[in-house]
Amino acid sequence: MKLGLNTLTIWFGMIMIILVVAGAFTFSFTDVMSDRLFGAKRTGFIIMLFAYAVYRGFRLYQSLKQVRHEE
């Protein structure tokens, strides 16, 4: 059971990283929601998305490292 849960967690983590980075690039290079989110708020939101992607990447790395250590 634990192996299945770890596999699901790893795949979900990878998908979340891809989605968050894609969202950050979308906000960076297009004018999506530019009428509501502009200036410093937009820049802060983009930085927050990239920071969250780095955090999720670090957590994913730790999970993969733990799975390899348990084998």
Side-chain angles (χ1 to χ4, degrees):
M1 179 68 182
K2 187 166 177 125
L3 180 63
L5 185 60
N6 281 342
T7 304
L8 182 66
T9 303
I10 289 169
W11 279 105
F12 182 69
M14 287 181 193
I15 291 169
M16 283 302 298
I17 291 169
I18 292 168
L19 288 175
V20 170
V21 169
F25 278 118
T26 300
F27 278 101
S28 296
F29 299 115
T30 65
D31 58 349
V32 173
M33 291 182 58
S34 63
D35 58 334
R36 296 183 191 160
L37 193 61
F38 55 88
K41 284 195 265 184
R42 187 175 186 93
T43 304
F45 184 66
I46 293 167
I47 290 170
M48 184 183 66
L49 286 175
F50 278 123
Y52 185 63
V54 169
Y55 169 74
R56 290 296 299 231
F58 180 70
R59 295 284 306 206
L60 181 63
Y61 173 74
Q62 285 182 334
S63 295
L64 288 171
K65 189 174 163 184
Q66 181 181 8
V67 167
R68 288 183 187 154
H69 180 67
E70 289 176 357
E71 290 179 352

